[in-house]
Amino acid sequence: MTIKKMILNKTSEQQALALSYEKVMQELSGYWKNDQWDPLDCPLYKKGAKIKKQSIKFKDTLNPRIKNELKYYFFKRLTNSEINMVTVWSNSSAINRLQDFILRFYSDIGSILDIPYEKFSIHYKTYLLEHGKSNFTVKGYLQLYNRIYSFFLDWYDQRQETEKDIWDVRKLDIDYNNSSYSYVINFTSIPMPFRNLAKRYIQKRVLIQESLSWGSAIQTMAKLQEFFKYIYKLFIAK
């Protein structure tokens, strides 16, 4: 790849990121733009719902972009009915703890994606355990971070879905069982030398031949990742 092409690709990537964040700012309006979310004032609140009365607060001292990313994640998933208010407000402690951790150790970052996932996860897990959190609580707190990170990894990625390391079936224009299976297939656990091969295989079976359902593809991926990890360990990672 020439230097000119590399510069053009980088410029295009930066423009795509700017446009994606601009959309975040456009959609965050009214209640969702506030730094404090009172559950009773939420547009989605239904009388009688058993929701914690405690407000969710997005800290003033957070980098504005990080703060807006956190708001947008919950706004988008709530308004798309992917999660409900009970789930979000019951996670208020996890939301607060994640903000406190970012402020203490990564106050200079401009996006939730700025710190490599593995580095952040290990550091966050160690921090939580050192502060007396149980393994069960740590797992829940890490799951929240993982979901937010994965959401924006996809949100800012402007490539075709089949070029990504995580595919969302809702973006593939195929039939799937909405009630039984996950929306995503994650290729990141497959060693890099075999990742594109796995993608091509799943793409051919699911999208071209239509000989494998989405649910079956998820099950197949679980077997493929173990197979490729074994091959990688046996022949490459020596």
Side-chain angles (χ1 to χ4, degrees), residues 53-67:
K53 304 304 180 186
Q54 181 180 353
S55 296
I56 292 177
K57 298 179 181 178
F58 299 95
K59 300 181 183 295
D60 293 335
T61 46
L62 269 181
N63 180 302
R65 180 162 179 156
I66 293 282
K67 183 164 60 174

Side-chain angles (χ1 to χ4, degrees), residues 13-25 28 58-73 102 107-114 148 152 155-156:
E13 180 182 336
Q14 291 172 342
Q15 289 173 341
L17 288 173
L19 287 172
S20 296
Y21 184 68
E22 184 178 330
K23 188 174 181 181
V24 167
M25 297 304 297
L28 281 178
F58 299 95
K59 300 181 183 295
D60 293 335
T61 46
L62 269 181
N63 180 302
R65 180 162 179 156
I66 293 282
K67 183 164 60 174
N68 287 326
E69 285 180 344
L70 292 176
K71 291 178 187 177
Y72 190 74
Y73 168 79
I102 292 173
S107 59
D108 58 337
I109 64 173
S111 170
I112 200 74
L113 301 183
D114 280 356
I148 295 172
F152 283 105
W155 177 258
Y156 289 125

